[in-house]
Amino acid sequence: MTQQAEPRDRSRGLSRRQLLSRSTAAGAAFVIGPGFIAAKDAAWAAETSVLKPATFATLVQMARDIYPHDHVGDEFYVIAVKGYDTEGAAPGIEAGIASLDAAAQGKGFASYLDTGWERDRVDILRGIEDSLFFQQIRGGLVTGLYNQKAVWPYFGYEGESYSQGGYIDRGFDDINWL
Amino acid sequence: MAAPFDLSDDSVVVIIGTGAGGGVLANELAQKGVSVVALEAGGRYLPEDYVNDEWESFGQLAWVDPRTTSGDWRVAKDFSGLPAWIVKAVGGTTTHWAGASLRFQEHEWKAATTYGPVQGASLLDWPIDGAEMAPWYEKAETKLGVTRTGDRAGLPGNNNYKVFEAGAKALGYTEVHTGRMAINSADYDGRVACQQTGFCFQGCKWGAKWSAAYTDIPRGEATGNLEVREKAHAARILHDDTGKVTGVEYFDGDGNLQMQAARVVCVAGNSFESPRLLLNSASSMFPDGLANSSGQVGRNYMRHMTGSVYATFEKPVRMWRGTTMAGIISDEAKHDPSRGFVGGYEMETLALGIPFMAAFLDPGGWGREFTTALDSYENMAGMWLVGEDMPQETNRVTLNHEVKDQWGLPVVNVHFDDHPNDVAMRNHAYRQGAAVYDAVGATRTFPTPPYPSTHNLGTNRMSENPRDGVVNRWGRTHDVANLYVSDGSQFTTGAAENPTLTIVALAIRQADHIASEMSAGNL
Ligand SMILES: Cc1cc2nc3c(=O)[nH]c(=O)nc-3n(C[C@H](O)[C@H](O)[C@H](O)COP(=O)(O)OP(=O)(O)OC[C@H]3O[C@@H](n4cnc5c(N)ncnc54)[C@H](O)[C@@H]3O)c2cc1C
Ligand code: SF4
């Protein structure tokens, strides 16, 4: 029974293995991160080694549309999906992005990036959200984006606290608006 | 004879698993002069090893061997390979736990009698009660240093607690405080007071929270009567032709199969691995698994009715600062069927960091409904809901022969369907939790689904009648005189309270029983 359930379940959510491998992958991506951050603006799009630059640009836009945070810069989304720019992962990503563009064309746009409003892209994504490709990208972002230490300050999260002596003298009970 | 013990030494008690049940039992027996070999599948990690990082800590401590899932619970969909969030390490899940330490309420020992028949539920009264357990609870509270018991003060309230308390009071709740926690509010038992670092789930780097890893286990070892074998994965319990257990086969750290002889075997691998071990120990004499003449091994799996409510506010809360779970509302813990369900639930403060919040707030969720919640993370408060769930025969841990672990052993499949009583209770708890936050001006509330199970109970349940369960009032199996179950899988019913204080109290009591049976020549 579970044998049959497994593949479908995998596509829906994160299995433990995916969680773990992705958290490691994100860690690795983070290490190579600073070089990317230095290359701000749009220069990153050209820096792919296997994926076509247009594919990567679409992938980054898709990542932002799945988890949009307007105060978080593109570099964090780039880092989050940079792990797919490998010989092993690229064919699946090229195919996935091609199907995304096909879905966009089905809705009257030249491509996914040709859309104007986020709502148009979200509408396209809703149409493919049960696909393995969408779930792979979304699942990977959960750790790939949110487990980047450098992104935490954008959410106010302070991370590790032991080395600073905890919060006993640093505001564990400083709420003042109640 | 002093530790280390010989593989052929058949005078030792072998304990499988060193968590809340096994770790405490090992120390208690060692203190009484009983020779103990404790087999622990995980490695040893101490406060200096713990990391203030949610995923890294998970990778360090969590049980990640394969398991499979089925049933209508959302965990089977969102986390199909991870039905439970439990630890594989010396000290077991007491490294990860938050420390909430509550006694059962009197009536909860007698759920079948109190609630009456509930369709589809396999409710049963425990063969023991609150009066019998009271002295053992007191010993457990002293061991763990539980706040608000004995003369120990409560912990101070953190930001998350202050929001929770203000909401609770505005709503008219009266049983609200910073909890009964196995976390030091002042230096106690050689451990420092809580420094409010806020990573209780990742192992307390200060040692302010009780964990068997750095209390009971080293103390037991110091007696010379306890040998803990790390990275020793028990595979099968052996027996002789009189039906008594004689030893345990295990894979050592190098992957070699070893056999430790035993006078008594105590199984304490938590509620998936304990029944798995009994089922994997089937023989021609016990074709359905050891101690399974009732057919109850693996059945009646309980995980508590759980869920969370998070809420955002106009201004910062910074809930992650300070203790993860030091706050409780107990007003809904009573049994009041007029609410539309039997049993009750507790509300307890809970904070997750950004990495876990992203994974657990709404698994599978995406788009702005999801991300605007995280954008307000700094202004978020949170609580966990934990209540009694109904035991059901069909909620069950079975062997999945299609999937093998790294030792080639069949893994467990965990099947769980919510009972209508669980659903009614969860919906009530979601409403009340949201009302607490609405009462102090929440701008949005989030009824968050259950996480992979942290409380795993009932799969070798205690019963008066051998037909109804696996173990008797001492945790001794009905079928095999020198085989015991010593963890949360003994639970007949789950009660509304977090289980660990009860697991520890039962382990202390069981040590007393085993030692006296040994000296009486009955073991
Ligand atoms: C994040 C989190 C927070 C929690 N907070 C609380 C709380 O606040 N209050 C509360 O009461 N409870 C809490 N719990 C639950 C609590 O940790 C468990 O109820 C308790 O630890 C269970 O005790 P146990 O002895 O049954 O199993 P465990 O403590 O899980 O110990 C079982 C041990 O057995 C080992 N083992 C398993 N199989 C084998 C084998 N075949 N061979 C050798 N070794 C094996 C495992 O590696 C493990 O070390 C929490 C749990 C989690 C995960
Ligand atoms: S908040 Fe207290 S108990 Fe929790 S990890 Fe920090 S010091 Fe330990």
Side-chain angles (χ1 to χ4, degrees):
Chain A
M1 96 209 90
T2 46
Q3 277 310 87
Q4 292 150 3
E6 271 282 277
R8 193 193 64 229
D9 291 346
R10 283 243 175 79
S11 73
R12 292 291 311 170
L14 290 171
S15 76
R16 164 190 37 78
R17 241 171 241 298
Q18 287 170 307
L19 285 172
L20 284 176
S21 65
R22 276 165 193 178
S23 83
T24 325
F30 179 60
V31 174
I32 60 141
F36 263 95
I37 294 170
K40 265 204 168 184
D41 305 319
W44 47 261
E47 284 196 28
T48 55
S49 50
V50 188
L51 286 171
K52 291 183 207 147
T55 302
F56 194 63
T58 307
L59 182 61
V60 171
Q61 184 62 54
M62 178 188 180
R64 183 180 275 292
D65 292 333
I66 293 174
Y67 290 123
H69 294 287
D70 297 339
H71 57 313
V72 171
D74 271 353
E75 61 268 32
F76 296 98
Y77 293 93
V78 167
I79 291 168
V81 297
K82 186 64 187 165
Y84 298 114
D85 185 26
T86 61
E87 295 288 350
I93 299 297
E94 293 288 358
I97 294 295
S99 67
L100 183 64
D101 279 333
Q105 283 151 14
K107 297 201 186 266
F109 300 98
S111 69
Y112 186 73
L113 287 181
D114 180 50
T115 49
W117 286 90
E118 180 183 295
R119 65 165 176 262
D120 294 330
R121 293 189 298 275
V122 168
D123 187 42
I124 295 164
L125 292 175
R126 286 273 168 232
I128 64 154
E129 72 175 325
D130 289 331
S131 70
L132 205 67
F133 173 64
F134 179 90
Q135 287 304 328
Q136 177 195 4
I137 301 303
R138 189 205 59 72
L141 283 169
V142 173
T143 46
L145 179 62
Y146 298 108
N147 204 32
Q148 293 181 46
K149 285 194 174 68
V151 86
W152 295 347
Y154 290 85
F155 299 97
Y157 181 52
E158 296 166 290
E160 191 275 340
S161 84
Y162 171 74
S163 66
Q164 298 168 76
Y167 292 103
I168 193 158
D169 298 318
R170 295 191 310 128
F172 79 100
D173 63 349
D174 64 357
I175 196 164
N176 58 11
W177 54 261
L178 277 164
Chain B
M1 216 202 198
F5 299 101
D6 221 69
L7 285 171
S8 59
D9 186 343
D10 61 3
S11 72
V12 300
V13 173
V14 175
I15 300 176
I16 297 154
T18 58
V24 168
L25 178 67
N27 178 32
E28 292 288 319
L29 286 173
Q31 298 297 335
K32 293 175 195 297
V34 176
S35 299
V36 178
V37 172
L39 303 176
E40 169 53 57
R44 197 180 291 240
Y45 305 92
L46 293 170
E48 58 268 30
D49 305 316
Y50 302 147
V51 279
N52 277 191
D53 181 304
E54 290 179 317
W55 283 122
E56 196 183 336
S57 172
F58 184 88
Q60 179 185 51
L61 298 170
W63 182 286
V64 293
D65 294 4
R67 287 168 173 153
T68 61
T69 45
S70 56
D72 73 7
W73 56 329
R74 196 169 148 180
V75 167
K77 179 173 104 146
D78 296 323
F79 304 99
S80 61
L82 188 71
W85 174 8
I86 44 186
V87 171
K88 183 187 204 176
V90 173
T93 315
T94 67
T95 50
H96 258 4
W97 81 314
S101 300
L102 306 172
R103 296 187 183 199
F104 277 23
Q105 303 167 75
E106 198 65 41
H107 68 267
E108 289 171 330
W109 296 101
K110 305 294 167 195
T113 304
T114 311
Y115 307 156
V118 175
Q119 206 186 357
S122 49
L123 282 169
L124 190 69
D125 288 348
W126 287 67
I128 52 180
D129 60 19
E132 177 163 359
M133 287 305 292
W136 305 105
Y137 268 139
E138 201 182 317
K139 284 184 207 289
E141 286 163 349
T142 306
K143 177 190 284 288
L144 274 52
V146 179
T147 58
R148 287 200 174 77
T149 70
D151 54 7
R152 290 168 289 268
L155 285 159
N158 67 352
N159 290 332
N160 197 25
Y161 173 73
K162 287 183 169 178
V163 175
F164 176 86
E165 182 194 47
K169 291 195 167 154
L171 211 62
Y173 283 143
T174 58
E175 297 169 56
V176 192
H177 55 74
T178 59
R180 296 199 172 81
M181 303 297 297
I183 294 179
N184 287 348
S185 54
D187 294 1
Y188 178 79
D189 199 28
R191 293 180 291 111
V192 300
C194 172
Q195 303 299 303
Q196 304 287 341
T197 55
F199 284 89
C200 308
F201 280 179
Q202 282 67 43
C204 177
K205 287 191 74 65
W206 302 93
K209 179 187 81 176
W210 177 85
S211 166
Y214 43 80
T215 58
D216 281 72
I217 289 179
R219 285 176 193 179
E221 289 173 323
T223 65
N225 299 321
L226 168 62
E227 180 190 347
V228 175
R229 277 185 215 150
E230 305 160 29
K231 305 210 159 118
H233 184 104
R236 195 157 67 112
I237 301 169
L238 306 176
H239 63 82
D240 61 18
D241 48 19
T242 70
K244 282 196 155 182
V245 296
T246 53
V248 179
E249 276 183 353
Y250 68 94
F251 289 95
D252 67 17
D254 300 323
N256 298 317
L257 192 63
Q258 307 284 359
M259 204 284 285
Q260 172 64 53
R263 173 176 179 179
V264 177
V265 173
C266 302
V267 183
N270 205 322
S271 291
F272 296 163
E273 295 307 310
S274 289
R276 177 186 181 210
L277 191 57
L278 296 179
L279 295 171
N280 269 334
S281 302
S283 64
S284 53
M285 191 170 193
F286 299 110
D288 300 323
L290 263 185
N292 196 21
S293 67
S294 62
Q296 294 290 312
V297 170
R299 291 189 186 271
N300 311 302
Y301 168 57
M302 295 173 287
R303 59 181 308 256
H304 273 140
M305 178 297 293
T306 69
S308 306
V309 176
Y310 294 94
T312 50
F313 296 86
E314 289 169 66
K315 295 193 176 146
V317 177
R318 304 192 178 99
M319 65 171 167
W320 65 87
R321 294 183 179 178
T323 41
T324 304
M325 197 172 259
I328 191 164
I329 301 169
S330 294
D331 293 74
E332 302 286 0
K334 60 188 182 283
H335 168 60
D336 170 10
S338 74
R339 292 174 298 181
F341 53 88
V342 300
Y345 63 89
E346 309 274 358
M347 301 164 157
E348 299 171 351
T349 55
L350 174 67
L352 299 179
I354 269 284
F356 274 10
M357 191 60 81
F360 296 125
L361 176 68
D362 180 17
W366 61 277
R368 285 193 187 263
E369 185 183 19
F370 181 83
T371 56
T372 49
L374 294 185
D375 285 338
S376 291
Y377 174 73
E378 205 171 1
N379 296 9
M380 206 180 251
M383 70 168 79
W384 197 52
L385 310 163
V386 50
E388 179 160 10
D389 61 341
M390 289 295 107
Q392 301 179 71
E393 287 226 317
T394 47
N395 282 347
R396 190 175 178 194
V397 169
T398 51
L399 295 180
N400 182 346
H401 290 277
E402 315 288 315
V403 183
K404 304 275 163 66
D405 70 4
Q406 62 270 44
W407 314 118
L409 301 168
V411 307
V412 290
N413 182 67
V414 183
H415 181 93
F416 189 89
D417 299 313
D418 274 317
H419 187 278
N421 196 77
D422 308 344
V423 176
M425 185 191 286
R426 183 176 296 117
N427 288 336
H428 190 273
Y430 278 152
R431 276 195 301 277
Q432 293 309 111
V436 165
Y437 291 134
D438 285 338
V440 276
T443 53
R444 220 165 123 195
T445 58
F446 306 87
T448 294
Y451 314 125
S453 316
T454 56
H455 297 177
N456 297 281
L457 305 167
T459 51
N460 291 305
R461 73 175 179 180
M462 190 183 279
S463 66
E464 192 67 59
N465 190 321
R467 265 197 332 257
D468 301 329
V470 179
V471 300
N472 72 8
R473 56 191 292 109
W474 303 109
R476 192 177 200 162
T477 62
H478 288 301
D479 296 352
V480 182
N482 62 342
L483 176 63
Y484 285 78
V485 174
S486 317
D487 59 15
S489 68
Q490 300 172 78
F491 278 37
T492 311
T493 53
E497 291 73 26
N498 316 55
T500 306
L501 184 75
T502 303
I503 295 174
V504 169
L506 287 169
I508 301 173
R509 176 172 167 275
Q510 189 180 69
D512 208 57
H513 161 81
I514 290 176
S516 61
E517 284 289 280
M518 284 175 92
S519 40
N522 297 331
L523 270 177

